[in-house]
mmCIF file of all heavy atoms in Angstrom:
data_model
loop_
_atom_site.group_PDB
_atom_site.id
_atom_site.type_symbol
_atom_site.label_atom_id
_atom_site.label_comp_id
_atom_site.label_asym_id
_atom_site.label_seq_id
_atom_site.Cartn_x
_atom_site.Cartn_y
_atom_site.Cartn_z
ATOM 1 N N THR V 35 -20.100 41.820 -72.250
ATOM 2 C CA THR V 35 -21.465 42.288 -72.524
ATOM 3 C C THR V 35 -21.468 43.808 -72.446
ATOM 4 O O THR V 35 -20.440 44.415 -72.174
ATOM 5 C CB THR V 35 -22.491 41.663 -71.557
ATOM 6 O OG1 THR V 35 -23.808 41.998 -71.992
ATOM 7 C CG2 THR V 35 -22.306 42.130 -70.120
ATOM 8 N N ARG V 43 -32.033 44.400 -76.138
ATOM 9 C CA ARG V 43 -32.681 43.071 -76.217
ATOM 10 C C ARG V 43 -33.691 42.808 -75.103
ATOM 11 O O ARG V 43 -34.546 41.955 -75.244
ATOM 12 C CB ARG V 43 -31.637 41.944 -76.151
ATOM 13 C CG ARG V 43 -30.515 42.032 -77.142
ATOM 14 C CD ARG V 43 -30.994 41.650 -78.536
ATOM 15 N NE ARG V 43 -29.925 41.868 -79.491
ATOM 16 C CZ ARG V 43 -29.478 40.962 -80.339
ATOM 17 N NH1 ARG V 43 -30.032 39.776 -80.377
ATOM 18 N NH2 ARG V 43 -28.505 41.260 -81.171
ATOM 19 N N ARG V 158 -23.293 34.676 -70.577
ATOM 20 C CA ARG V 158 -23.819 36.040 -70.729
ATOM 21 C C ARG V 158 -25.242 36.057 -71.277
ATOM 22 O O ARG V 158 -25.922 37.075 -71.203
ATOM 23 C CB ARG V 158 -22.897 36.860 -71.639
ATOM 24 C CG ARG V 158 -22.851 36.382 -73.078
ATOM 25 C CD ARG V 158 -21.944 37.269 -73.904
ATOM 26 N NE ARG V 158 -21.922 36.828 -75.300
ATOM 27 C CZ ARG V 158 -21.323 37.499 -76.259
ATOM 28 N NH1 ARG V 158 -20.681 38.623 -75.981
ATOM 29 N NH2 ARG V 158 -21.344 37.053 -77.497
ATOM 30 N N GLN V 218 -34.515 31.927 -77.217
ATOM 31 C CA GLN V 218 -35.423 32.138 -78.361
ATOM 32 C C GLN V 218 -36.658 31.238 -78.265
ATOM 33 O O GLN V 218 -37.765 31.670 -78.586
ATOM 34 C CB GLN V 218 -34.670 31.928 -79.665
ATOM 35 C CG GLN V 218 -33.723 33.102 -79.905
ATOM 36 C CD GLN V 218 -32.966 33.018 -81.210
ATOM 37 O OE1 GLN V 218 -33.239 32.145 -82.027
ATOM 38 N NE2 GLN V 218 -32.022 33.915 -81.391
ATOM 39 N N HIS V 252 -45.637 39.562 -66.069
ATOM 40 C CA HIS V 252 -44.337 39.110 -65.552
ATOM 41 C C HIS V 252 -43.250 39.950 -66.209
ATOM 42 O O HIS V 252 -43.245 40.144 -67.434
ATOM 43 C CB HIS V 252 -44.159 37.633 -65.885
ATOM 44 C CG HIS V 252 -42.765 37.135 -65.647
ATOM 45 N ND1 HIS V 252 -42.064 37.418 -64.492
ATOM 46 C CD2 HIS V 252 -41.941 36.371 -66.407
ATOM 47 C CE1 HIS V 252 -40.874 36.860 -64.563
ATOM 48 N NE2 HIS V 252 -40.769 36.225 -65.704
ATOM 49 N N ASN V 255 -38.902 40.693 -69.845
ATOM 50 C CA ASN V 255 -38.254 41.242 -71.017
ATOM 51 C C ASN V 255 -39.231 42.217 -71.668
ATOM 52 O O ASN V 255 -40.381 41.856 -71.914
ATOM 53 C CB ASN V 255 -37.965 40.040 -71.948
ATOM 54 C CG ASN V 255 -37.245 40.436 -73.191
ATOM 55 O OD1 ASN V 255 -37.654 41.381 -73.864
ATOM 56 N ND2 ASN V 255 -36.203 39.718 -73.503
HETATM 57 N N1 ACO A 1 -24.168 40.581 -74.232
HETATM 58 C C1 ACO A 1 -23.717 40.704 -75.493
HETATM 59 N N2 ACO A 1 -23.965 39.815 -76.466
HETATM 60 C C2 ACO A 1 -24.741 38.774 -76.132
HETATM 61 C C3 ACO A 1 -25.263 38.584 -74.845
HETATM 62 C C4 ACO A 1 -24.939 39.547 -73.875
HETATM 63 N N3 ACO A 1 -25.388 39.480 -72.601
HETATM 64 N N4 ACO A 1 -25.996 37.461 -74.832
HETATM 65 C C5 ACO A 1 -25.953 36.950 -76.072
HETATM 66 N N5 ACO A 1 -25.190 37.739 -76.859
HETATM 67 C C6 ACO A 1 -24.901 37.560 -78.271
HETATM 68 C C7 ACO A 1 -24.951 36.125 -78.716
HETATM 69 O O1 ACO A 1 -23.733 35.464 -78.452
HETATM 70 C C8 ACO A 1 -25.219 36.262 -80.188
HETATM 71 O O2 ACO A 1 -24.003 36.590 -80.826
HETATM 72 P P1 ACO A 1 -23.665 35.952 -82.279
HETATM 73 O O3 ACO A 1 -24.742 36.479 -83.182
HETATM 74 O O4 ACO A 1 -22.297 36.485 -82.545
HETATM 75 O O5 ACO A 1 -23.741 34.484 -82.083
HETATM 76 C C9 ACO A 1 -26.107 37.493 -80.267
HETATM 77 O O6 ACO A 1 -25.916 38.211 -79.033
HETATM 78 C C10 ACO A 1 -27.560 37.164 -80.430
HETATM 79 O O7 ACO A 1 -27.902 36.148 -79.481
HETATM 80 P P2 ACO A 1 -29.362 35.582 -79.377
HETATM 81 O O8 ACO A 1 -29.405 34.557 -78.305
HETATM 82 O O9 ACO A 1 -29.808 35.215 -80.744
HETATM 83 O O10 ACO A 1 -30.108 36.900 -78.909
HETATM 84 P P3 ACO A 1 -31.634 37.159 -78.868
HETATM 85 O O11 ACO A 1 -31.968 38.284 -79.742
HETATM 86 O O12 ACO A 1 -32.432 35.907 -78.970
HETATM 87 O O13 ACO A 1 -31.770 37.687 -77.381
HETATM 88 C C11 ACO A 1 -32.606 36.956 -75.264
HETATM 89 C C12 ACO A 1 -31.492 36.840 -76.286
HETATM 90 C C13 ACO A 1 -32.629 38.374 -74.723
HETATM 91 C C14 ACO A 1 -32.349 35.982 -74.118
HETATM 92 C C15 ACO A 1 -33.933 36.631 -75.997
HETATM 93 O O14 ACO A 1 -33.870 35.378 -76.610
HETATM 94 C C16 ACO A 1 -35.102 36.671 -75.090
HETATM 95 O O15 ACO A 1 -35.528 37.719 -74.696
HETATM 96 N N6 ACO A 1 -35.658 35.513 -74.744
HETATM 97 C C17 ACO A 1 -36.723 35.419 -73.805
HETATM 98 C C18 ACO A 1 -36.140 34.830 -72.638
HETATM 99 C C19 ACO A 1 -36.521 35.497 -71.378
HETATM 100 O O16 ACO A 1 -36.905 36.634 -71.249
HETATM 101 N N7 ACO A 1 -36.395 34.692 -70.383
HETATM 102 C C20 ACO A 1 -36.632 35.126 -69.091
HETATM 103 C C21 ACO A 1 -36.821 33.949 -68.291
HETATM 104 S S1 ACO A 1 -38.193 33.107 -68.798
HETATM 105 C C22 ACO A 1 -39.357 33.804 -68.083
HETATM 106 O O17 ACO A 1 -39.220 34.580 -67.180
HETATM 107 C C23 ACO A 1 -40.536 33.399 -68.575
#
Side-chain angles (χ1 to χ4, degrees):
T35 188
R43 307 285 175 127
R158 66 179 181 173
Q218 287 182 8
H252 169 46
N255 182 311

